[in-house]
Amino acid sequence: FFVIQIIQEKKKSEIKNLKSKAEFMVTVEWPSDRPDDIDTYFEDPLGGLVHYKSKETPLVNLDRDDVGHRNDQITLPDGTMIDYKENKEVVTIRSIVPGEYVVNIHMFGKEAKNKAPVPVTVTVEKLNPFKTIDSITLLLENNGDRLTAVRFTVDAQGEVTDVNRLDKNLIEIHN
């Protein structure tokens, strides 16, 4: 355990010296006509986790936490209210750090009157240069449902060397 802790501390100190620009983006989208609250849990190679309660690590940001229809009205600087009907969460990875990244989706709040499953599309994109790494649509049916959408491994050059869907429950591990 002590050796692992030393390695993690060394990696964390190396991150302080990295340039901070978005290298990867993960989007989680579900139909705009659904009021359901879907949450994204994202783990980086250093064990950092972003989700609705913790939106930032030294490496990763949850740029948008969408709660279904509850945050669809936006107030502009001039006071004008506009409706933003898109259901979308966005996670950005700001530097190249080798290791495994894991994305879970979680049905946090399902509208009781709509029994139909919610299709949730998870897309991983490399931004520099642009390339879609993975995209999958999964179904969440009930409150509390959780799925591992994707796990991907990045090497030191920023290339994705593995993509898989082996289950890893980030909610249980980190809550």
Side-chain angles (χ1 to χ4, degrees), residues 51-62:
H51 54 91
Y52 71 98
K53 289 183 186 176
S54 177
K55 295 181 180 165
E56 184 176 326
T57 72
L59 180 60
V60 179
N61 272 15
L62 174 61

Side-chain angles (χ1 to χ4, degrees), residues 23-24 45 93 95-101 124-134 151-163:
E23 295 290 343
F24 290 89
I93 303 168
S95 295
I96 301 294
V97 173
E100 184 181 60
Y101 297 81
V124 178
E125 297 165 314
K126 185 176 189 325
L127 301 176
N128 301 301
F130 182 82
K131 178 167 116 177
T132 299
I133 302 301
D134 190 57
R151 295 168 78 160
F152 61 100
T153 303
V154 175
D155 67 17
Q157 289 72 43
E159 296 303 317
V160 175
T161 59
D162 182 52
V163 176

Side-chain angles (χ1 to χ4, degrees), residues 59-113:
L59 180 60
V60 179
N61 272 15
L62 174 61
D63 296 317
R64 176 165 165 73
D65 174 28
D66 196 306
V67 294
H69 288 174
R70 289 183 293 159
N71 65 345
D72 281 356
Q73 285 206 326
I74 299 170
T75 304
L76 299 176
D78 68 0
T80 306
M81 300 283 283
I82 62 168
D83 287 330
Y84 181 80
K85 296 289 185 192
E86 190 172 32
N87 287 331
K88 182 178 193 176
E89 296 203 346
V90 178
V91 174
T92 52
I93 303 168
R94 294 186 306 270
S95 295
I96 301 294
V97 173
E100 184 181 60
Y101 297 81
V102 183
V103 181
N104 276 198
I105 55 173
H106 176 244
M107 175 65 78
F108 184 80
K110 179 157 171 57
E111 182 184 63
K113 65 183 175 182

Side-chain angles (χ1 to χ4, degrees), residues 138-152:
L138 302 167
L139 297 176
L140 293 176
E141 296 187 40
N142 303 301
N143 274 328
D145 281 359
R146 184 234 22 112
L147 294 169
T148 297
V150 63
R151 295 168 78 160
F152 61 100

